[in-house]
Amino acid sequence: MIKKRKRHLLKSILPATFIFCCSAIVIVTIARANGAAADPDQPITATTSAGNISKPIESVDVRFKDSGHDELPDFQKHVAPLLGRLGCNGRACHGSFQGQGGFQLSLFGYDFQSDHKALLEDGTDRVNLKNPTDSLILTKPTDEDEHEGGLRYDKDSWQYNLLQSWIAGGGTNADSIHKLDRLVIEPSELIFRSPSTKFELKAIAHWKDGTVEDVTPLCRFHSNNDSIAKITESGEVSTNSIAGDTHVVVSYDNAVVPVPAIHPFAGEPLNSSTAFASVSKIDVLAEKKWKKLNLQPSELSDDTMFLRRVSIDITGTLPTSDEIRKFVADTDPQKRKKKIDELLESPAYASWWSTFFCDMTENNTNQLRNIAFDNNLPSEQWYDWIHKRVKDNTPYDEMIEGIVLGVSRQRGESYLDFCERMKETSANDSFYENETMPYYWMRREFRDRETMAISFAHAFLGLRIQCAQCHKHPFDRWSQKDFKDFSKFFSGINVRQYSGGTTPDDKKDYVAILKNLDIDPDRKKNPNLQRQLREAYRKGETTPYGFLAIDSPKLTREELRELQKQLQANKKSKKKKNIKKPTITEATLLGGDIIDLTDHEDVRTPLMDWMKQRDNPFFAKALVNRVWAKYFGVGIVDPVDDLNLANPPSNAALLDHLTQEFIKHDFDLKWLHREITNSRTYQLSWVPNQTNERDRRNFSRAIPRRLPAEVIFDSITFAASDSETNRTFRNSVNGRAISIPGTVTNVKRTKYSTDASFALKVFGRSERASSCDCDRSEETSLIQTVYMQNDRDIHLMLTQKDSWLNRMAQQNTAKIQAASTQKSLDTLNERIAKMELTKTDLMQADNKKQLQSLSKKIKGLEKTKRSLEAKLASIQKPEGELNVQQVVEEAYLRTLSRFPTPEELDRCVQHIQEEKDLVKGVTGVLWALVNTKEFIVNH
C-alpha cells in the first residue's frame, strides 16, 4: 500500500513545452570576411534599436510580379536565398553530399562562388544564357521537365521572373561578397492576446553599402515550438490554445534572428507585492518574465524540501535525520544561507562538483590507456587535479587555463627526469600539485585537429560546431571555413607514447631507462617488452611515460593528400608549376580575430587569452548556463551545450546578468553557487498552481528531476547505513560513487561489498564518450524499476552486517535475550524463596536429614542464580525501548528527508505490528520508501 501510494505522489506534474524569451527590436549585426564563401570575421550580436530606419526597397515579390523589366537580380542577395527558400539547397535535394541528378549545391547555399560555378557548369543546361527560358532551373521547378522535387513555383510567378531576369542578364555573380550589416525583423515581439491573433513578419536587410531592402520573401522561417507559435513559409505567425512562449527564427544570408512569441497564461495578473518577494537580482529578472507570461510562481519550499534539494545539488548527499531535525527546529532567519555556506565547505561538495567538471572535460579512463602502465592512473590524476582546485575554490578561468595550456614536461626537463618525476608523483599521489594538467589533450580519440576543435568548443564554449566541419551550420553563423580556421589552433598538439619522443636525447633516455631495467628495447627481438615494463612499473621502478608535445602547426592528412595529388598532377603536366608546401601560420578565433601563430611558442596561448577576455561571448556564459541547469534541471539555454543563434535563452537578461557578475567576481565558483541557491527562485516549491503546471522553462517552480546515477547509489547506501556512518557520510567520501574518478566504475564500497558498476550504468552515469552533455542520462526506464525492486544489490545494502536494520535486529535480539534471562532469574528466585520457607520449618522440626538435603539444593540453585545474573549483565542493554513510531520516522528521514504524515505513520506502524518479526516489518517499510518516486527524484 505504501509503495502504491507513493507512485502517485508526483502525478500532478505534467509535461511542459519549451519556452523562450526576448525583447525589443532584434537587430543582427554581421561582418563578412572576403572569400569564396560568406564567412563572418566578427560575431553576430543581438542589439536593440529604436532609431529611424530608412525606407527600404520593395520586396522582390512586388518588383518581379510582372515580367519584362530591366532590373538585374543579385546572385548573393536574391538568387541564392531564393534557391534556399525553395529548398533546392536543402539536405533532401541538391544540398546533400552527393547532390541530385549530378547537380550539387552547397548545403543551405552559403558558398556563393561554388554554387554559381555549379549552375553555369559547361555541358549542362541548368542555366542557358543563350535561351534563358530553356534553363533547367526554370523548366524543372515548374514541372515542364521531369523533376523529383515536384512543382516549386508556377511559370510567370515572381520567382520565375526573378530567375529568368538573372539568366537573361548574363547569370553574373559579384566579384566580392556583399557584407550584411544587420537584419531587422518587425514586429520585434509577438504577444498573442487571443488564439485568433496573427502576425505578418517583415525582414529588412541593411547592407554595408547603404542598401536597405525588404527581403521577407527570400527568408526562411521556422518555429522552435509549433504548439505555441506556427509560422508559414511566407512569415505569417499564429498560435494554438496552448499558452507559453517560444521563438520563431528568421534566416537570411548569414543572419539568424530569433523573434520571441508569447502566449500568456490565463488567470489573474501576477501581483508581486503579495505573490512573490524578490531577494536577489535573479528573482527580479525571473519575475519580470513571469509577468509577461502571467505566470504565478509556486510557494516557497518548506524547510525539509529545501534542505534535501540543496544538499543533493551541492554535495550529492542526503541530509542526516539529526540534521533535518535540527534545521527544522532552528528559528534563525539566516539558517538557509548558513546551511548553503556549510555545504560548500564540505568534502562532498568538492567531490561531487569535481565529477561535474570531469564529465564536462571528458575524463575517460579508456581514452588514456596509452600514457602509463597503470590504466587507471591518468584518469585518477585528472580527477585529483580538478578536485584540488574545486576544493580550494580556484577561479574557474585559472582552472581551465591549467587544462587548456596543460604540459607534461617542464621547460628544459629531460625525458629521463620527466619519467623520474612521474614515478614520484604516482607513488605519493602528488600529481595535483602540478601547475597544469595535460591529459585532456592526450586522449586516444584526439588524432586530428578537427576532433579537438569539436571537443574544445563543446567543453569550454558550450557550442556544437561539428555541423560546420562539412557545411554551413544550419542554425548558427559558423561556416566550413570558420571551422577549419578555428581548428588550426590545435594543429601542433601531439602525444608521444612510451617510445620517448622523437629527439635524439629523448630516445637516448628511453634506451637508458630500459637498460637500467635489464629490458631489451628492440620490440622485434623482445615481444614481451610491454609486459616487462608493466611488471617493472608495479615494482615501483622508473618506466617510460607518454607525454604531451606542442609542436609547430602541421597539415592534416587530408591537406597532405591534396598536396600529394597536386604534386603528382604537376609531375605529369607539361607546364610545370612551382608548388610549395603550404604552412599553417594563422588561425581564427570563433567570431573573432585572425591570430598570427608564428608569434606564439604555444599556439593554444592566444586561444586561452581570448577566452579569458571579459567580453568573450561564450566562455563564462557556457559555464554559468551549465551550473544553472544542475540546479534547475534545465538550462537558461537548453540544451546547455548548444549556444546557437536559433536556440536563444529563455531569459536572456537573467543569463547575461549572471554571466557578467560571475566575471566581475573573478570567476568565483562558490559565488555562483551561493548566488543561485540563495535566490527565492531556486527555493520555490515543486508543487504547481493553475498557471505554472506546464512551465518547465521559466523557473516559476522547481521541476522534480531524477537523481543522478551516483547520487542514487550513494543514497541507497545512506538509507541502509547505521547512524554513525550517516553522520560522517558527507565528510568521508572515499569509496563513494560521487568520487569515482574516471569511467571504470567497478569500485568496491568501503563498508559494503556491492559493485557500483551495474547500477551506475542502469541509471545513466556519463560514459564521457562523446562531445555532448547528453552523454549523461537522467531519464527513467523499466530496468531501473526492476533494479530498485528486485536486484540483489538492494537486498545486500539493506541487510549488510553494519546496516541500520542489522543494528536494530541486534538491539531487538538483545532485548529478547535479556527478557528471557530475567524471567528465568525471577522464576529461580521464587523457587529459592519457597525453599527458604521450607528450610525454616525443617529447622523448627529439627529434621536434620531433610534439612541437609534441602540446603544442598538451595546451594545449587544459588550457583545457578549467580550464573544467570552474570549472563544478564553480559547482555548489551539496548539504548532505550524500540519505539515503532520513532523507527518509522527515522526511516522517512533517512530516505525522503521529511517526517511522515499521520496517515503514513499509521499505515507503516500497522504494517510493522502485523509482522511477527519487528525487523522484517521495518525492512518492508524501508524497501517501500526507496522504491517511491519521492526517493528517486530531487524536488
Side-chain angles (χ1 to χ4, degrees):
M1 291 296 293
I2 297 170
K3 183 170 70 174
K4 184 177 181 181
R5 181 181 186 277
K6 293 298 176 185
R7 282 176 179 167
H8 299 288
L9 180 65
L10 305 180
K11 185 179 179 181
S12 61
I13 298 176
L14 301 177
T17 54
F18 288 169
I19 43 184
F20 303 90
C21 159
C22 190
S23 62
I25 293 180
V26 179
I27 298 179
V28 172
T29 304
I30 305 165
R32 291 195 186 280
N34 291 328
D39 301 309
D41 55 357
Q42 290 185 5
I44 301 175
T45 57
T47 61
T48 60
S49 172
N52 294 326
I53 300 175
S54 58
K55 187 176 180 180
I57 300 171
E58 282 187 312
S59 58
V60 290
D61 61 336
V62 176
R63 286 156 32 212
F64 289 91
K65 182 178 180 181
D66 300 316
S67 59
H69 45 74
D70 297 331
E71 181 183 349
L72 177 62
D74 185 273
F75 184 77
Q76 177 188 340
K77 293 181 178 181
H78 306 125
V79 176
L82 176 57
L83 295 178
R85 171 73 173 266
L86 295 171
C88 302
N89 50 32
R91 292 188 184 93
C93 200
H94 300 287
S96 66
F97 290 119
Q98 68 273 14
Q100 287 284 350
F103 175 32
Q104 183 180 11
L105 295 169
S106 63
L107 187 60
F108 308 121
Y110 289 93
D111 190 339
F112 302 124
Q113 288 191 6
S114 172
D115 290 348
H116 184 264
K117 183 179 179 181
L119 283 166
L120 273 71
E121 183 179 353
D122 291 339
T124 71
D125 281 332
R126 293 166 194 153
V127 171
N128 190 327
L129 298 178
K130 293 181 179 179
N131 298 298
T133 55
D134 292 337
S135 299
L136 293 179
I137 66 168
L138 294 177
T139 59
K140 280 182 172 288
T142 55
D143 260 359
E144 290 185 46
D145 283 343
E146 185 179 352
H147 185 221
E148 288 187 19
L151 179 68
R152 305 308 299 162
Y153 54 81
D154 293 323
K155 192 173 182 180
D156 296 329
S157 65
W158 70 264
Q159 295 96 330
Y160 184 96
N161 294 335
L162 186 151
L163 291 174
Q164 184 186 33
S165 296
W166 174 69
I167 298 169
T172 60
N173 184 24
D175 295 332
S176 60
I177 301 298
H178 300 297
K179 296 181 180 180
L180 182 63
D181 181 53
R182 62 190 186 275
L183 182 66
V184 180
I185 308 301
E186 299 173 348
S188 60
E189 184 177 68
L190 315 177
I191 300 180
F192 298 97
R193 300 301 181 187
S194 71
S196 61
T197 305
K198 293 185 178 182
F199 296 93
E200 288 282 354
L201 293 185
K202 180 179 287 188
I204 309 298
H206 293 247
W207 299 90
K208 283 287 188 180
D209 62 6
T211 304
V212 180
E213 181 178 358
D214 182 344
V215 293
T216 307
L218 300 171
C219 293
R220 290 180 289 117
F221 303 96
H222 79 269
S223 173
N224 285 343
N225 191 332
D226 287 328
S227 64
I228 295 173
K230 297 182 295 183
I231 189 166
T232 66
E233 289 186 357
S234 62
E236 181 184 84
V237 190
S238 59
T239 186
N240 293 317
S241 58
I242 296 178
D245 72 324
T246 185
H247 283 80
V248 291
V249 181
V250 185
S251 302
Y252 172 75
D253 197 70
N254 202 41
V256 180
V257 185
V259 179
I262 298 173
H263 186 180
F265 290 86
E268 294 296 323
L270 173 62
N271 185 345
S272 60
S273 62
T274 58
F276 187 79
S278 300
V279 298
S280 71
K281 184 69 172 178
I282 290 176
D283 300 326
V284 172
L285 295 172
E287 184 181 13
K288 186 176 180 180
K289 179 67 183 298
W290 298 337
K291 287 181 177 179
K292 279 191 173 185
L293 281 161
N294 198 31
L295 273 174
Q296 307 286 341
S298 293
E299 299 295 327
L300 190 68
S301 60
D302 62 32
D303 283 343
T304 57
M305 189 187 299
F306 165 77
L307 183 59
R308 176 185 171 91
R309 184 191 305 168
V310 77
S311 297
I312 292 172
D313 284 342
I314 293 181
T315 67
T317 308
L318 292 174
T320 66
S321 54
D322 290 341
E323 184 182 6
I324 297 168
R325 292 186 181 97
K326 182 179 178 182
F327 189 77
V328 171
D330 191 353
T331 58
D332 185 353
Q334 297 295 314
K335 66 180 181 181
R336 294 194 178 193
K337 181 178 182 297
K338 292 178 179 178
K339 176 57 67 174
I340 290 168
D341 291 341
E342 176 190 326
L343 293 172
L344 288 171
E345 297 303 319
S346 68
Y349 157 74
S351 294
W352 181 225
W353 284 90
S354 294
T355 296
F356 164 81
F357 285 114
C358 284
D359 282 354
M360 189 182 89
T361 54
E362 298 179 65
N363 177 5
N364 187 315
T365 305
N366 295 322
Q367 288 289 336
L368 300 169
R369 295 182 183 273
N370 58 334
I371 300 171
F373 291 103
D374 180 349
N375 290 333
N376 294 331
L377 179 66
S379 62
E380 290 171 358
Q381 291 180 333
W382 185 331
Y383 176 90
D384 291 343
W385 189 91
I386 288 179
H387 184 275
K388 176 69 164 59
R389 281 138 189 87
V390 175
K391 178 183 176 183
D392 294 346
N393 200 32
T394 301
Y396 174 68
D397 59 334
E398 291 184 19
M399 178 172 70
I400 300 305
E401 184 172 24
I403 297 174
V404 173
L405 302 183
V407 294
S408 297
R409 293 165 61 174
Q410 299 170 356
R411 186 179 294 274
E413 185 177 42
S414 69
Y415 182 67
L416 178 60
D417 290 341
F418 163 70
C419 294
E420 289 281 3
R421 178 167 60 83
M422 287 301 295
K423 182 189 78 170
E424 294 300 321
T425 58
S426 301
N428 56 27
D429 293 329
S430 61
F431 179 84
Y432 61 83
E433 296 177 355
N434 290 345
E435 185 176 347
T436 67
M437 195 281 296
Y439 295 141
Y440 171 80
W441 301 106
M442 299 179 71
R443 291 176 287 166
R444 290 191 297 181
E445 65 179 343
F446 277 8
R447 297 178 179 178
D448 55 68
R449 71 192 194 206
E450 288 83 3
T451 304
M452 295 184 198
I454 292 170
S455 175
F456 187 93
H458 161 261
F460 306 121
L461 305 176
L463 297 174
R464 298 179 181 179
I465 63 170
Q466 50 266 48
C467 289
Q469 186 176 5
C470 302
H471 54 77
K472 165 71 172 62
H473 196 295
F475 305 120
D476 213 335
R477 72 202 73 172
W478 315 123
S479 66
Q480 191 174 12
K481 184 176 185 300
D482 292 323
F483 180 91
K484 289 182 178 179
D485 289 347
F486 178 68
S487 69
K488 292 176 183 178
F489 281 109
F490 314 105
S491 56
I493 299 173
N494 295 286
V495 176
R496 304 282 186 264
Q497 298 187 8
Y498 308 127
S499 58
T502 57
T503 68
D505 289 341
D506 286 355
K507 290 183 177 180
K508 183 179 178 182
D509 284 349
Y510 171 76
V511 172
I513 291 171
L514 267 62
K515 286 188 175 180
N516 186 55
L517 298 171
D518 197 24
I519 296 176
D520 187 348
D522 191 331
R523 293 176 182 269
K524 294 181 179 180
K525 296 180 180 179
N526 183 14
N528 297 318
L529 175 62
Q530 291 293 100
R531 180 179 59 80
Q532 292 171 347
L533 286 173
R534 196 175 297 278
E535 290 175 355
Y537 172 85
R538 290 170 179 167
K539 293 177 181 178
E541 303 287 349
T542 300
T543 56
Y545 280 82
F547 66 93
L548 180 66
I550 306 300
D551 303 324
S552 58
K554 293 181 173 60
L555 300 178
T556 64
R557 294 175 183 175
E558 289 183 4
E559 290 169 336
L560 289 173
R561 281 196 292 267
E562 183 62 29
L563 176 63
Q564 189 65 29
K565 289 180 181 178
Q566 293 178 12
L567 292 173
Q568 290 176 353
N570 189 52
K571 187 176 181 180
K572 296 178 181 179
S573 176
K574 295 181 179 180
K575 296 181 179 180
K576 305 295 182 184
K577 297 180 181 178
N578 184 19
I579 300 178
K580 295 181 179 180
K581 182 179 179 180
T583 57
I584 298 175
T585 59
E586 292 180 341
T588 305
L589 301 167
L590 285 176
D593 299 329
I594 298 174
I595 303 298
D596 187 346
L597 300 180
T598 61
D599 293 339
H600 302 276
E601 183 178 353
D602 187 338
V603 294
R604 301 170 300 173
T605 302
L607 189 59
M608 190 65 229
D609 291 342
W610 167 67
M611 290 200 301
K612 290 173 66 177
Q613 291 174 4
R614 291 184 176 268
D615 61 349
N616 184 285
F618 311 116
F619 179 59
K621 182 179 291 185
L623 189 276
V624 166
N625 190 52
R626 277 191 169 107
V627 172
W628 180 277
K630 281 293 180 182
Y631 284 110
F632 287 88
V634 63
I636 303 174
V637 173
D638 195 74
V640 295
D641 56 353
D642 195 12
L643 304 181
N644 73 67
L645 294 173
N647 185 35
S650 61
N651 193 324
L654 174 58
L655 183 57
D656 289 343
H657 161 72
L658 277 175
T659 300
Q660 292 307 313
E661 289 300 311
F662 180 53
I663 295 171
K664 287 179 183 178
H665 285 81
D666 298 322
F667 296 89
D668 185 335
L669 289 168
K670 286 187 177 180
W671 172 87
L672 182 58
H673 293 302
R674 288 190 182 96
E675 189 72 7
I676 293 174
T677 54
N678 276 306
S679 71
R680 189 176 176 90
T681 304
Y682 171 75
Q683 296 180 20
L684 291 174
S685 169
W686 67 269
V687 180
N689 55 48
Q690 290 183 348
T691 67
N692 69 2
E693 194 172 38
R694 295 197 308 271
D695 176 34
R696 300 184 67 87
R697 289 300 305 271
N698 288 290
F699 322 111
S700 62
R701 65 183 177 95
I703 304 298
R705 44 208 154 91
R706 207 213 68 200
L707 298 178
E710 299 92 332
V711 179
I712 290 175
F713 193 84
D714 281 347
S715 295
I716 299 170
T717 305
F718 178 91
S721 297
D722 61 278
S723 300
E724 182 181 348
T725 300
N726 279 2
R727 281 191 287 270
T728 61
F729 208 66
R730 191 177 289 146
N731 296 324
S732 301
V733 294
N734 290 336
R736 286 188 53 188
I738 65 167
S739 59
I740 295 175
T743 50
V744 175
T745 58
N746 56 337
V747 177
K748 299 294 183 182
R749 318 306 294 146
T750 52
K751 293 180 70 65
Y752 303 96
S753 59
T754 306
D755 186 341
S757 58
F758 178 69
L760 296 182
K761 184 175 182 179
V762 165
F763 288 102
R765 184 183 192 264
S766 175
E767 297 181 359
R768 301 167 187 170
S770 63
S771 295
C772 180
D773 282 43
C774 58
D775 201 75
R776 172 181 288 276
S777 171
E778 293 183 4
E779 299 296 321
T780 56
S781 67
L782 179 61
I783 193 172
Q784 294 169 8
T785 303
V786 173
Y787 174 86
M788 294 295 291
Q789 294 186 0
N790 301 315
D791 199 87
R792 177 174 172 268
D793 286 357
I794 304 297
H795 175 72
L796 287 176
M797 284 189 275
L798 293 179
T799 59
Q800 283 288 342
K801 181 179 179 181
D802 293 330
S803 69
W804 176 58
L805 291 172
N806 242 314
R807 290 290 178 90
M808 188 186 303
Q810 293 170 9
Q811 185 177 349
N812 193 48
T813 301
K815 179 182 176 181
I816 294 171
Q817 289 178 345
S820 177
T821 304
Q822 184 65 55
K823 184 177 181 180
S824 298
L825 188 59
D826 292 341
T827 302
L828 187 61
N829 282 331
E830 288 178 5
R831 287 185 62 191
I832 292 174
K834 289 179 180 179
M835 294 176 82
E836 287 289 348
L837 291 174
T838 304
K839 182 180 177 181
T840 302
D841 293 340
L842 290 173
M843 288 176 65
Q844 291 176 353
D846 196 25
N847 190 337
K848 294 182 180 180
K849 186 177 180 180
Q850 290 187 14
L851 181 64
Q852 184 179 5
S853 175
L854 184 62
S855 297
K856 188 176 181 180
K857 288 181 180 179
I858 291 173
K859 189 176 181 180
L861 292 176
E862 290 283 358
K863 184 178 180 181
T864 302
K865 176 183 176 180
R866 289 192 295 273
S867 176
L868 287 173
E869 288 175 339
K871 181 180 179 181
L872 185 62
S874 67
I875 296 174
Q876 184 177 2
K877 294 183 179 181
E879 299 177 1
E881 292 293 319
L882 272 175
N883 185 298
V884 177
Q885 291 188 351
Q886 292 177 353
V887 169
V888 172
E889 180 181 285
E890 175 68 21
Y892 268 79
L893 290 174
R894 61 176 48 236
T895 54
L896 309 186
S897 309
R898 65 169 176 84
F899 296 94
T901 65
E903 181 186 356
E904 291 168 337
L905 182 61
D906 291 343
R907 190 174 296 178
C908 292
V909 169
Q910 181 182 352
H911 170 78
I912 293 172
Q913 290 175 343
E914 288 174 354
E915 288 284 352
K916 294 181 180 180
D917 186 335
L918 172 69
V919 176
K920 186 177 180 181
V922 177
T923 302
V925 170
L926 192 62
W927 176 88
L929 290 173
V930 298
N931 275 284
T932 60
K933 289 182 181 179
E934 192 174 356
F935 175 78
I936 210 73
V937 301
N938 188 7
H939 47 80

